[in-house]
Amino acid sequence: MRLRALLETDALGLELLGGERELDRTVRGVMTTDLRDPSRYLSGGELVLTGLAWRRDAADSEPFVRILVREGVAALAAGEAELGDVPDDLVVACARHRLPLFAVHESVAFATITEHVVRQVSGERAGDLAAVVDRHRRMMTSGPAGGGPDVVLDLLGSDLDLRAWVLSPTGRLIAGPGAGAPALPAEACGRLAAEHLAATRAGRHAPHRVLLDGSTYSLFPVRSAQTARDVGDVRETVLSDWLLAVEADAGDWADERLDLLHGVTQLIAVERDRRDAARTVRRRLAEEVLELVQTGAAPAEIAARLRVTAPVLLPGLGAAPHWQVVVARVDWDGEEAESGPVTQALLEEILAAPLSAGPEHSDRIAVAHTGEEAIALVPLAAVSTEHEGSEAGILADALLDSVRDPLTAGLDDDGRLTLGVSATVHSAEGLRGALEEARHARRVAAARPGRVCAAGHQELASHVLLLPFVPDDVRRAFTARLLEPLRDYDRRHRAELIPTLEAFLDCDGSWTRCAARLHLHVNTLRYRVGRIEQLTGRDLSRLEDKLDFFLALRMS
């Protein structure tokens, strides 16, 4: 039953003190308590009745309301028999957390309200309980393990006459209704994903209802077993969770049907976890190859590893593939936490679309993450000579076109995604250069405005292209002249001048951003930069000297 129905029942005499916009919430039960922390007795959806005996002073209202909201309570009803009018501090706390609040007149017994709610809820559940149990049984026996999400969606169509689609956070169609059902256009998929991400970032409760091209869709999150736990920060999962889009208005659904759809999302989550587990092998292969590349392993050793990797990523390819490297990074304003895992999942999703037209195309992608960045090793069929260096492989300009709107919604106002794409290389010898190229392209993208930016190898200067191929003796001599005085000073004084220099250049010479990243006072940062200039005889306000330091750090 709905909260609105309770308010409209004259016999209960409830007075609404706040939460007019939340009256369409569903009440699934009722619980009377005067405990300061009743969370152990709550399961979500309850109307909580309280005589306010838990309240000793105004400071008690905020934590009590916060507990109720965390446990998913539908509304709070406070009795006036003990304290008279409901205290203002409780009204304010409920308004702050968008928890509907009712006043119960002293002439109305809590038992009367409890009996009414139980009678209404029990009556609604009785009519369809057997059918719900049967549907759950059928879905559990013929769900993802026996055919993937499509089987579950077919059951929704045949049993409940509901058309539904499983979408990725970028709007990629993962599964849909069976044959004969009209397809959901790619543009509509992207718009639904964007609406879902925006609603999730805004903290709205699912299902999210969206009106699109004259039809109403209800959007349910599909969270894997790992992300279903309380992660504390929605930004850790919002860019990786799937969603279930149902062409129906869930606002007037009975509790049983809502419970059923939540059960469906759990079944689909099993398939999501299975696919993630299948990616483990590809991720490990990517990590092994990239570790060899970054540690300067011999090309023959890298080539041997690639010969193992290629058949896994492109079975039946035959000839040795060509490769591209894609580097991505997600940054959150004011955050220094490692963002590699969420970037890894997101990069796998972004790269899925350009490689194939079917849902199995993501099986070609090997993505590793190191700290704050994710690195993708993308195999491509052999590129013809006439296309080499031009339109071959993945193009940065087109990579984000179809996913920009959903990702912008998911990043909201405090996140950025930047991405760089290397040129196609034909052998192990070229991977080191491709990795450097992709990283520098990402830095070019980071210098642009916007929440979602990409850059390709075509936008890099010639010295960046040549950098990985500078002879080792030249690299060592160049870096020693600039960096050895700083390293020696760091060894003797533990001054961290090298990390400071790296951060200063990475922040494009911004004193405030660099100081915030290093958790230093700006004056301390200025002292360190001054010491760097004194030891090296260089001036970090000059572009030429910045470039020399930049190249030295990249070649070290």
Side-chain angles (χ1 to χ4, degrees):
M1 67 177 302
R2 303 287 175 183
L3 289 175
R4 190 180 304 280
L6 284 175
L7 187 62
E8 294 170 352
T9 304
D10 294 335
L12 302 181
L14 297 178
E15 178 186 359
L16 183 65
L17 301 182
E20 294 86 351
R21 297 183 178 180
E22 308 295 333
L23 290 179
D24 286 328
R25 289 187 182 183
T26 300
V27 179
R28 301 179 182 179
V30 63
M31 198 268 280
T32 300
T33 185
D34 278 313
L35 295 174
R36 296 169 68 84
D37 182 2
S39 57
R40 72 183 69 178
Y41 303 107
L42 297 170
S43 58
E46 295 93 344
L47 170 67
V48 172
L49 305 174
T50 181
L52 300 177
W54 51 266
R55 182 184 178 277
R56 297 170 186 170
D57 56 45
D60 290 336
S61 292
E62 175 69 21
F64 181 80
V65 170
R66 192 183 302 120
I67 290 171
L68 299 187
V69 171
R70 186 188 66 203
E71 298 301 325
V73 164
L76 175 64
E80 297 178 335
E82 291 293 329
L83 299 181
D85 293 339
V86 176
D88 290 341
D89 49 90
L90 182 59
V91 176
V92 170
C94 287
R96 180 181 298 116
H97 294 279
R98 296 193 301 181
L99 180 67
L101 175 63
F102 299 96
V104 182
H105 193 268
E106 61 182 0
S107 63
V108 179
F110 281 178
T112 302
I113 299 174
T114 300
E115 181 181 354
H116 177 83
V117 172
V118 170
R119 186 170 58 250
Q120 293 296 319
V121 171
S122 298
E124 291 174 359
R125 287 178 177 170
D128 206 36
L129 184 57
V132 171
V133 172
D134 182 63
R135 290 187 185 113
H136 273 290
R137 178 188 62 77
R138 291 169 58 191
M139 289 185 178
M140 288 301 293
T141 56
S142 59
D150 302 272
V151 173
V152 180
L153 300 186
D154 287 344
L155 283 173
L156 285 179
S158 62
D159 284 20
L160 300 182
D161 195 26
L162 291 175
R163 290 198 300 158
W165 298 263
V166 179
L167 306 177
S168 77
T170 63
R172 179 170 59 91
L173 181 63
I174 295 168
L184 192 63
E187 182 182 356
C189 291
R191 290 174 62 186
L192 290 175
E195 292 284 352
H196 170 73
L197 291 173
T200 302
R201 287 304 311 272
R204 299 203 296 271
H205 292 292
H208 313 304
R209 287 176 285 168
V210 177
L211 181 63
L212 181 63
D213 298 331
S215 297
T216 300
Y217 296 85
S218 297
L219 311 179
F220 297 80
V222 176
R223 296 194 171 98
S224 67
Q226 198 139 18
T227 62
R229 303 186 187 100
D230 184 12
V231 296
D233 192 337
V234 69
R235 296 180 298 185
E236 296 179 24
T237 60
V238 67
L239 295 175
S240 57
D241 286 340
W242 288 358
L243 67 135
L244 176 67
V246 181
E247 190 178 10
D249 187 347
D252 56 359
W253 282 4
D255 297 339
E256 290 79 8
R257 181 166 286 203
L258 285 172
D259 289 341
L260 176 61
L261 265 294
H262 286 300
V264 168
T265 64
Q266 293 172 1
L267 292 174
I268 296 172
V270 173
E271 172 68 9
R272 171 65 189 273
D273 290 339
R274 184 190 69 78
R275 295 192 185 187
D276 281 348
R279 286 179 172 174
T280 302
V281 174
R282 298 191 298 278
R283 289 172 173 175
R284 189 181 70 248
L285 290 173
E287 290 170 0
E288 292 174 356
V289 172
L290 292 168
E291 178 68 19
L292 293 174
V293 171
Q294 294 186 99
T295 55
E301 186 177 359
I302 300 174
R305 176 53 55 188
L306 286 176
R307 283 194 292 272
V308 176
T309 302
V312 175
L313 301 182
L314 284 179
L317 181 66
H322 293 172
W323 303 90
Q324 277 184 284
V325 175
V326 182
V327 173
R329 176 167 164 168
V330 172
D331 293 294
W332 302 105
D333 291 350
E335 294 290 329
E336 295 297 329
E338 179 180 311
S339 60
V342 67
T343 311
Q344 180 183 45
L346 184 57
L347 184 55
E348 288 171 335
E349 172 58 35
I350 291 172
L351 287 172
L355 298 181
S356 178
E360 70 283 354
H361 52 221
S362 58
D363 292 343
R364 297 184 177 186
I365 304 162
V367 182
H369 76 82
T370 57
E372 297 177 329
E373 68 179 8
I375 304 169
L377 188 65
V378 183
L380 303 168
V383 183
S384 63
T385 305
E386 62 179 306
H387 288 102
E388 288 182 10
S390 57
E391 299 299 317
I394 297 172
L395 300 176
D397 292 340
L399 194 57
L400 299 178
D401 284 350
S402 62
V403 300
R404 192 178 303 277
D405 289 344
L407 293 183
T408 300
L411 293 164
D412 201 15
D413 291 329
D414 58 354
R416 287 199 77 203
L417 168 70
T418 51
L419 187 146
V421 181
S422 78
T424 303
V425 296
H426 312 150
S427 64
E429 288 84 352
L431 278 181
R432 183 178 180 183
L435 177 58
E436 288 296 320
E437 200 172 70
R439 280 176 166 159
H440 289 305
R442 192 206 64 79
R443 288 175 59 85
V444 171
R448 295 172 174 168
R451 292 287 165 188
V452 181
C453 299
H457 63 95
Q458 304 93 334
E459 302 174 65
L460 301 180
S462 59
H463 71 272
V464 176
L465 299 178
L466 296 174
L467 184 59
F469 306 106
V470 174
D472 287 342
D473 56 342
V474 177
R475 296 165 69 98
R476 285 192 294 269
F478 180 75
T479 56
R481 281 197 298 271
L482 269 94
L483 301 183
E484 196 56 38
L486 305 182
R487 290 181 178 138
D488 181 61
Y489 191 88
D490 282 347
R491 283 192 294 267
R492 288 187 289 110
H493 300 282
R494 298 181 181 180
E496 298 188 352
L497 295 185
I498 291 289
T500 300
L501 176 60
E502 290 176 326
F504 186 73
L505 295 175
D506 195 45
C507 292
D508 299 321
S510 169
W511 296 99
T512 54
R513 285 170 50 203
C514 184
R517 173 176 295 189
L518 296 175
H519 305 290
L520 297 174
H521 192 278
V522 173
N523 288 342
T524 303
L525 175 62
R526 291 185 183 277
Y527 172 81
R528 288 188 183 180
V529 170
R531 179 64 67 183
I532 291 170
E533 294 175 332
Q534 181 183 21
L535 292 169
T536 61
R538 300 300 185 105
D539 182 354
L540 277 168
S541 66
R542 298 179 67 246
L543 177 61
E544 294 85 350
D545 289 342
K546 283 182 181 178
L547 179 58
D548 284 346
F549 277 123
F550 177 82
L551 294 175
L553 289 168
R554 290 302 176 270
M555 290 193 295
S556 62

